[in-house]
Amino acid sequence: MLTGTMEEQARNSGPILAHNTGTSPAPTKTLQCSALQYLHLSRNNIRLSGAVALLEAVASNNSGLRALDLSGNPVFNDKNVGDTDVQALLTLLPQCRRLIFLSLNSTGMADEIGAGILLSLGHHPQLSWISMGNNQLSGQTIAALTNTMEVNTNLKRIALDGNQINDIVIESLIASPAVMDMDGVWLGRRNPCSVELLQPPLYDSVLNYSTAIVMEYICRGDISSASAEEVQSPSTAKPRSDDSPAAVCTSPQDR
């Protein structure tokens, strides 16, 4: 929480970024800074209860949060993930109405949970980019994606590399006109599917992003405008950098 003169300074300076690494306690209901636009919490120890508390704070405090990165946290790793907390998360996600980028890479997400997340975003007014790589996603998640795209065309790009998506699942994607109208579905080469089946916008490459890239498109006001230059084949792709210098909007003119 920003307090006193820090909060006042943040409001006057425009959108800012919070970047945190290392083990941290669960977020609490203190996210009150409307200037905070990108919350980067990858590779901590945030579990499902912490993620729910964080989303509750975002949803209930009129937060201006546009991008949230929870990748590399054990959000869904617990074998006994409670249905109550999962349902709370699915209920809260659509209430974070200004969110346009969400990364849940490497969070231990099962196929059923991935499907629930995509279905919950069916009527989200702004989310255009979601990254769900390196989980256990397969047919249920893809079925949810095709259903969601029928009712919400705001979602333009999704990263699904390193999951369990096979040829049958790929064929269902190709059969969906709404999915084939997306900017990109990045599958990489670590899904058990035939590369020969893939056709744009289904790619056998990975969508590389960094803090700087995400902030740049937030500042532009159009996160979906990331060009194909950020998409590189596995043989040439550089490792994802979550520690790149952040691009920060300092005034409305910078957006």
Side-chain angles (χ1 to χ4, degrees), residues 192-211:
C193 61
S194 303
V195 173
E196 293 77 15
L197 283 177
L198 304 184
Q199 55 185 280
L202 311 182
Y203 300 110
D204 66 340
S205 52
V206 295
L207 182 59
N208 293 289
Y209 66 89
S210 67
T211 297

Side-chain angles (χ1 to χ4, degrees), residues 108-132:
M109 189 188 307
D111 198 22
E112 182 180 0
I113 294 176
I117 287 173
L118 288 176
L119 289 174
S120 76
L121 298 172
H123 296 285
H124 195 285
Q126 296 197 56
L127 192 81
S128 62
W129 183 348
I130 185 168
S131 197
M132 304 169 76

Side-chain angles (χ1 to χ4, degrees), residues 141-177:
T141 299
I142 298 306
L145 175 62
T146 58
N147 289 336
T148 295
M149 291 307 301
E150 294 294 334
V151 296
N152 187 357
T153 57
N154 290 323
L155 186 61
K156 296 297 184 184
R157 25 184 85 208
I158 182 169
L160 293 166
D161 51 293
N163 282 287
Q164 299 170 4
I165 298 171
N166 58 28
D167 287 355
I168 295 174
V169 177
I170 294 297
E171 289 172 358
S172 69
L173 282 173
I174 295 173
S176 169

Side-chain angles (χ1 to χ4, degrees), residues 13-42:
S13 64
I16 61 173
L17 170 146
H19 183 137
N20 184 25
T21 58
T23 303
S24 61
T28 57
K29 300 180 186 179
T30 57
L31 188 61
Q32 298 178 6
C33 179
S34 61
L36 183 65
Q37 293 217 347
Y38 185 11
L39 192 55
H40 182 223
L41 294 170
S42 68

Side-chain angles (χ1 to χ4, degrees), residues 19-234:
H19 183 137
N20 184 25
T21 58
T23 303
S24 61
T28 57
K29 300 180 186 179
T30 57
L31 188 61
Q32 298 178 6
C33 179
S34 61
L36 183 65
Q37 293 217 347
Y38 185 11
L39 192 55
H40 182 223
L41 294 170
S42 68
R43 299 193 298 272
N44 282 279
N45 193 30
I46 298 173
R47 298 185 180 273
L48 181 56
S49 59
V52 168
L54 172 62
L55 291 177
E56 189 172 17
V58 172
S60 63
N61 286 292
N62 194 29
S63 169
L65 194 68
R66 311 301 298 279
L68 176 61
D69 189 346
L70 290 173
S71 59
N73 283 288
V75 178
F76 306 108
N77 276 5
D78 293 338
K79 293 182 179 179
N80 299 317
V81 170
D83 290 341
T84 300
D85 279 341
V86 171
Q87 188 55 53
L89 181 135
L90 299 182
T91 300
L92 288 165
L93 270 174
Q95 297 177 29
C96 302
R97 299 181 63 81
R98 298 197 66 193
L99 203 63
I100 56 180
F101 170 87
L102 176 63
S103 178
L104 294 170
N105 291 328
S106 304
T107 52
M109 189 188 307
D111 198 22
E112 182 180 0
I113 294 176
I117 287 173
L118 288 176
L119 289 174
S120 76
L121 298 172
H123 296 285
H124 195 285
Q126 296 197 56
L127 192 81
S128 62
W129 183 348
I130 185 168
S131 197
M132 304 169 76
N134 302 314
N135 287 296
Q136 296 94 47
L137 309 182
S138 188
Q140 291 185 65
T141 299
I142 298 306
L145 175 62
T146 58
N147 289 336
T148 295
M149 291 307 301
E150 294 294 334
V151 296
N152 187 357
T153 57
N154 290 323
L155 186 61
K156 296 297 184 184
R157 25 184 85 208
I158 182 169
L160 293 166
D161 51 293
N163 282 287
Q164 299 170 4
I165 298 171
N166 58 28
D167 287 355
I168 295 174
V169 177
I170 294 297
E171 289 172 358
S172 69
L173 282 173
I174 295 173
S176 169
V179 170
M180 298 304 284
D181 280 342
M182 295 178 71
D183 289 347
V185 179
W186 282 267
L187 295 158
R189 294 195 176 184
R190 292 184 297 116
N191 280 294
C193 61
S194 303
V195 173
E196 293 77 15
L197 283 177
L198 304 184
Q199 55 185 280
L202 311 182
Y203 300 110
D204 66 340
S205 52
V206 295
L207 182 59
N208 293 289
Y209 66 89
S210 67
T211 297
I213 289 173
V214 173
M215 282 301 297
E216 178 182 352
Y217 294 110
I218 290 175
C219 292
R220 289 183 185 180
D222 181 15
I223 202 168
S224 65
S225 66
S227 70
E229 294 177 358
E230 277 86 60
V231 185
Q232 304 172 20
S233 68

